[in-house]
Amino acid sequence: MDGNDARPVPRVVIVGAGFGGLAAAKALAGKAVDVTLIDRQNHHLFQPLLYQVATAALSPADIAAPIRAIVRDHANIRVVLDSVEGVETEGKRVILRDGAPLEYDWLILATGARHSYFGNDEWADAAPGLKTIDDATAVRRNVLIALERAEVETDQEKRNALLTFIVIGGGPTGVEMAGAIAELARRSVSMEFRHITPHCSRVILVDSGERLLKSFPESLSAKAQAALESLGVEVNTGIRIRDVHDQGVQIGNDFVPAQTIVWAAGVTASPAALWLGLAPDRSGRVPTCPELRAPDHPEIFVIGDTAACPDGNAGTLPGVAPVAKQQGYHAAHTILDAIAGKSARPFRYRNYGNMATIGRSHAVVDFGRVQLSGFPAWLVWSLAHCWFLVGFRSRAVVALNWIWSYLTYQRSARLITGLRH
């Protein structure tokens, strides 16, 4: 073929190296496209296990891997460490905070979500959420410092507040977090502290809904609540939070003093809709076309937590890792099909089930017709989460940590970092 007839290599820009963005990048690896993967962090994070970092069961490096290391064997993928501040849709350019704008032929927005306090952003300092490693280590620091100070506190009211831990939100993150804190505060550390017994600590889980784990069948929700209560967690459903500050939480008509509060009640999408000049849904997500394209922008795909993708039942797909990964794969292959002159196909999500763990040996798993709870469900949960971690080392380390924790109740990552003296 004459060199003058050569076509330029299509440029694909992916914003976000979470589950969706990384799945898209891997699907495009080795193909006849130039891929630029942008993220403001240098690592891919396995968010479903962040709560275990927050409760000292795992170290940050166990659930994160450098993005460059993940894609190093794929010559057509380059990584840019920067923050995206906007998209020029007419000029097909991505605007970066520090670097020069990046031109694209195809764009995949996988920018994820951040915490939503439902108009009460002033609660954020007192009730951090769990979205990043920094969030998790901050929560871990709060929990461990509270225990250390309670060990020497002589004022009973102050000691009770230090040993009260409140988790707001009854979804999988909230349930898993409450169970993990209960085991840490009521069992793991009580063997090492001299003045903290298993019954000193109080763990409270609050949700405004009528039951926990609303995406699960009612029978599994009930079993999850029973498992939490067996760990000593006080479960409060159907109650709204009225106020949150550094001294405690107003739960309905009752004020509960607490020094450690964790937010797991809601998220809102990144400003991708604003970048594209589109009207977002109530959660800030971009309503997408069936093939995951942004309305009026066929060259732009929106996936993961950023997308409000119809689920076929008058609702939208949840912001969970399996959805994001399948969407990333679909967006990448739709781009390759378009380059090859093939027509696009609508996205179809294959739901392989939901799962949540409660403590060190109990979980609930919903596979549709097959539902599991208790220790068998925990084994399934453990195997699934180990399998989807990036890298053999992470899988091996996490598996060994879980086995050690199961046998000894000890937490291997109980380090307090970032103290200010």
Side-chain angles (χ1 to χ4, degrees):
M1 181 175 67
D2 185 83
N4 294 329
D5 294 332
R7 296 180 180 179
V9 177
R11 299 160 299 183
V12 181
V13 174
I14 304 172
V15 182
F19 289 108
L22 198 59
K26 288 182 175 181
L28 295 170
K31 308 299 183 182
V33 291
D34 282 335
V35 179
T36 300
L37 182 57
I38 309 169
D39 201 287
R40 57 187 175 187
Q41 305 287 349
N42 79 326
H43 54 268
H44 167 74
L45 177 64
F46 193 79
Q47 282 191 347
L49 292 180
L50 262 180
Y51 82 95
Q52 295 218 353
V53 174
T55 53
L58 297 174
S59 295
D62 296 338
I63 64 167
I67 300 168
R68 293 186 185 277
I70 296 172
V71 301
R72 65 187 172 192
D73 295 329
H74 308 302
N76 69 318
I77 301 176
R78 70 167 180 142
V79 178
V80 172
L81 180 66
D82 210 333
S83 292
V84 172
E85 299 204 328
V87 176
E88 290 183 0
T89 55
E90 292 186 5
K92 292 186 177 181
R93 302 198 310 168
V94 175
I95 308 304
L96 303 180
R97 182 186 62 189
D98 299 320
L102 293 175
E103 297 183 347
Y104 64 85
D105 298 301
W106 303 92
L107 175 63
I108 299 176
L109 295 176
T111 46
R114 59 187 187 277
H115 315 305
S116 172
Y117 292 87
F118 309 111
N120 299 287
D121 292 344
E122 67 276 10
W123 296 354
D125 290 340
L130 283 178
K131 279 295 178 184
T132 68
I133 285 178
D134 289 341
D135 293 336
T137 54
V139 171
R140 181 182 69 183
R141 181 168 58 248
N142 291 345
V143 171
L144 297 180
I145 287 176
L147 293 169
E148 293 288 348
R149 290 177 177 169
E151 173 76 354
V152 296
E153 181 58 63
T154 57
D155 184 292
Q156 191 59 45
E157 288 188 4
K158 292 181 179 179
R159 190 171 190 270
N160 289 342
L162 286 166
L163 291 175
T164 298
F165 306 89
I166 300 178
V167 180
I168 303 171
T173 299
V175 166
E176 291 171 347
M177 189 72 194
I181 291 178
E183 288 203 329
L184 172 66
R186 297 174 66 90
R187 181 64 184 264
S188 297
V189 301
S190 65
M191 294 183 289
E192 299 175 7
F193 285 74
R194 298 296 176 257
H195 299 97
I196 297 178
T197 68
H199 300 290
C200 287
S201 302
R202 185 183 183 192
V203 182
I204 302 172
L205 177 61
V206 187
D207 190 85
S208 61
E210 293 303 314
R211 62 184 177 94
L212 304 178
L213 300 175
K214 290 185 286 291
S215 62
F216 286 71
E218 289 190 22
S219 59
L220 291 182
S221 294
K223 290 179 180 178
Q225 180 167 336
L228 284 171
E229 291 172 343
S230 71
L231 293 174
V233 177
E234 300 174 27
V235 178
N236 295 270
T237 56
I239 302 176
R240 289 190 176 275
I241 298 298
R242 297 184 182 278
D243 194 17
V244 177
H245 53 74
D246 59 2
Q247 297 302 310
V249 179
Q250 186 73 35
I251 303 175
N253 295 323
D254 298 323
F255 179 76
V256 180
Q259 293 296 304
T260 304
I261 308 163
V262 182
W263 186 265
V267 296
T268 185
S270 72
L274 180 63
W275 298 343
L276 303 180
L278 298 172
D281 73 352
R282 291 186 301 175
S283 298
R285 299 175 300 176
V286 178
T288 65
C289 299
E291 58 281 349
L292 303 178
R293 286 184 162 110
D296 303 323
H297 302 290
E299 75 285 357
I300 299 177
F301 294 81
V302 186
I303 64 175
D305 291 345
T306 317
C309 179
D311 63 2
N313 295 307
T316 55
L317 292 172
V320 294
V323 172
K325 292 174 73 170
Q326 292 182 37
Q327 288 179 335
Y329 183 86
H330 180 88
H333 281 273
T334 301
I335 290 172
L336 295 174
D337 286 345
I339 293 171
K342 300 177 182 178
S343 58
R345 292 173 295 175
F347 174 70
R348 293 286 183 268
Y349 173 55
R350 294 173 176 83
N351 187 355
Y352 296 110
N354 294 325
M355 55 185 70
T357 184
I358 305 100
R360 60 192 283 275
S361 60
H362 194 106
V364 289
V365 175
D366 175 25
F367 289 140
R369 295 183 179 179
V370 177
Q371 298 175 3
L372 301 173
S373 62
F375 185 73
W378 181 80
L379 287 177
V380 172
W381 179 93
S382 300
L383 289 171
H385 282 70
C386 275
W387 176 257
F388 287 112
L389 279 166
V390 173
F392 173 79
R393 177 192 173 279
S394 292
R395 296 181 191 128
V397 169
V398 168
L400 288 173
N401 274 325
W402 283 346
I403 293 171
W404 177 254
S405 177
Y406 180 80
L407 294 174
T408 67
Y409 282 93
Q410 294 183 24
R411 302 288 174 124
S412 59
R414 221 165 59 238
L415 305 176
I416 300 175
T417 59
L419 282 174
R420 296 180 181 179
H421 298 284

